[in-house]
């Protein structure tokens, strides 16, 4: 039979122990994930000084310093590294606890990063249905190149749609794509010398594939058009100004005036894949629901 005195002592010990404030813990995780007090403050809709104060309050509670000096550089101390895993679990558990009493109401903000093709041609049709089913969820969609999307996963984005070479990719493959040299369907631009080309944005994998192909082929070329917009680039090709490269699915669009240049006349290009990735850090229930929703809608073997 339990000793009442011992039981009471245990209860007193529980009551008197230091308690962590989850708001402070979440601020710590956000600073680590963003790698910057300034970026974390923007994500938390607070000032940088307010976030710094939250970190100091957390350190006071723990009795240790979580970051090395100087604080202008976000470098975890040994105590910070040891605490980080527990902090992520506390944030995730807090989210699960809130979700357990929210019943069927799904709320929150989900940040998606995407390549241009999926952002303009694929995701809008899926997201409009998701947002109609879950009107209290706010979805933010940002486009970017391969490197920026990969670097932003976890800090800027909860889910990303990216584009990789087929033999070196991350995430779940949504589709495999042939890459083609393309020109306008109304003229033979490929026959011109030097070859007029429209270059895609700097952080676009297709630009690298295209330049590697031109170098291997040895045909003289000159850049006549360059844009940070993939759609603008394709419009220049459709107008007959230049040749470029694109994935096979873009050629299948009903409103395109592009055609693939036969393989016999141009260098073969490698196969690529479109993928979806979810952040490995703890994410919201809404993000997990959308991730499953997107898999069901887009992944061939989900």
């Amino acid at each position: 039979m339990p000793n009442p005195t011992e039981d009471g002592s245990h209860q007193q010990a529980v009551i008197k122990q230091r308690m962590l404030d989850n708001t402070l813990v979440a601020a710590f995780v956000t600073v680590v994930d963003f790698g910057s007090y300034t970026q974390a403050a923007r994500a938390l809709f607070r000032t940088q000084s307010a976030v710094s104060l939250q970190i100091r309050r957390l350190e006071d509670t723990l009795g240790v310093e979580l970051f090395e000096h100087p604080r202008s550089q976000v470098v975890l101390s040994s105590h910070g590294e040891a605490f980080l895993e527990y902090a992520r679990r506390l944030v995730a558990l807090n989210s699960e606890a809130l979700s357990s009493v929210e019943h069927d109401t799904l709320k929150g903000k989900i940040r998606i990063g995407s390549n241009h093709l999926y952002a303009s041609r694929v995701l809008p049709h899926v997201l409009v249905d998701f947002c109609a089913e879950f009107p209290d969820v706010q979805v933010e969609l940002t486009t970017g190149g391969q490197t920026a999307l990969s670097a932003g996963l976890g800090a800027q984005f909860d889910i990303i749609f990216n584009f990789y070479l087929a033999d070196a990719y991350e995430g779940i493959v949504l589709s495999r794509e042939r890459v083609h040299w393309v020109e306008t369907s109304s003229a033979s631009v490929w026959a011109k010398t030097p070859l007029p080309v429209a270059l895609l944005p700097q952080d676009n994998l297709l630009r690298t594939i295209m330049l590697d192909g031109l170098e291997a082929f040895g045909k003289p070329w000159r850049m006549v058009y360059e844009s940070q917009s993939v759609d603008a680039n394709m419009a220049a090709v459709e107008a007959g100004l230049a040749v470029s490269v694109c994935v096979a699915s873009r050629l299948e669009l009903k409103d395109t005036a592009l055609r693939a240049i036969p393989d016999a006349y141009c260098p073969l290009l490698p196969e690529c894949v479109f993928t979806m990735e979810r952040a490995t850090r703890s994410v919201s229930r809404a993000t997990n629901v959308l991730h499953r929703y997107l898999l069901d809608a887009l992944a061939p073997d989900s």
Side-chain angles (χ1 to χ4, degrees):
M1 186 172 180
N3 186 321
T5 304
E6 290 180 358
D7 202 35
S9 299
H10 174 70
Q11 289 175 351
Q12 271 195 332
V14 170
I15 292 170
K16 289 181 179 179
Q17 72 175 333
R18 290 173 296 166
M19 300 297 292
L20 293 172
D21 183 336
N22 256 15
T23 304
L24 307 183
V25 176
F28 167 68
V29 172
T30 305
V31 170
V32 174
D33 284 342
F34 278 85
S36 159
Y37 279 84
T38 302
Q39 295 297 326
R42 289 174 184 167
L44 294 168
F45 299 100
R46 290 179 173 272
T47 63
Q48 182 175 336
S49 59
V51 173
S52 296
L53 179 60
Q54 286 182 310
I55 299 302
R56 286 199 296 272
R57 286 174 56 199
L58 178 60
E59 289 176 328
D60 288 343
T61 302
L62 295 169
V64 298
E65 291 193 345
L66 297 171
F67 295 102
E68 300 284 0
H69 292 281
R71 293 299 178 98
S72 57
Q73 298 178 346
V74 177
V75 179
L76 286 170
S77 67
S78 59
H79 294 298
E81 291 176 352
F83 181 65
L84 180 59
E85 180 184 350
Y86 294 99
R88 293 193 189 282
R89 285 160 57 185
L90 285 169
V91 172
L93 187 60
N94 182 76
S95 178
E96 291 175 20
L98 291 173
S99 298
S100 70
V101 295
E102 286 178 350
H103 303 296
D104 294 331
T105 302
L106 198 66
K107 298 178 181 179
K109 179 171 70 174
I110 307 170
R111 303 161 305 162
I112 299 176
S114 176
N115 59 72
H116 293 272
L117 183 63
Y118 264 64
S120 61
R121 302 290 182 170
V122 178
L123 291 177
H125 305 291
V126 181
L127 292 177
V128 69
D129 293 335
F130 177 84
C131 291
E133 186 173 345
F134 302 103
D136 293 325
V137 176
Q138 178 187 349
V139 178
E140 295 182 353
L141 177 62
T142 304
T143 59
Q146 182 198 43
T147 304
L149 291 173
S150 294
L153 183 62
Q156 293 174 266
F157 307 119
D158 303 305
I159 298 171
I160 62 171
F161 290 83
N162 218 341
F163 186 64
Y164 295 95
L165 291 171
D167 58 359
Y169 64 85
E170 299 288 339
I172 298 170
V173 174
L174 302 179
S175 66
R176 294 184 177 273
E177 297 274 0
R178 272 287 312 274
V179 180
H180 295 281
W181 293 95
V182 291
E183 63 183 358
T184 179
S185 56
S186 60
S188 179
V189 183
W190 182 264
K192 295 182 179 180
T193 302
L195 182 68
V197 301
L199 289 180
L200 293 157
Q202 290 283 350
D203 194 22
N204 191 296
L205 176 61
L206 287 177
R207 177 190 176 104
T208 303
I209 290 173
M210 179 180 179
L211 292 176
D212 288 347
L214 287 170
E215 183 177 354
F217 195 54
K219 183 172 183 175
W221 61 275
R222 62 190 179 95
M223 189 271 289
V224 298
Y225 193 89
E226 182 177 19
S227 172
Q228 290 304 304
S229 167
V230 175
D231 288 336
N233 209 286
M234 290 300 103
V237 177
E238 289 180 322
L241 187 62
V243 302
S244 191
V245 298
C246 75
V247 294
S249 56
R250 183 177 281 273
L251 293 172
E252 297 167 3
L253 299 176
K254 294 180 181 179
D255 57 351
T256 186
L258 299 172
R259 70 179 175 193
I261 299 167
D263 293 342
Y265 299 103
C266 54
L268 290 177
L269 301 173
E271 183 184 46
C272 293
V273 293
F274 285 108
T275 70
M276 178 171 65
E277 300 171 64
R278 178 177 50 180
T280 54
R281 60 169 175 74
S282 35
V283 294
S284 66
R285 174 172 167 249
T287 298
N288 287 327
V289 171
L290 176 57
H291 183 255
R292 182 70 255 173
Y293 196 98
L294 293 166
L295 280 177
D296 290 341
L298 302 174
D301 300 319
S302 64

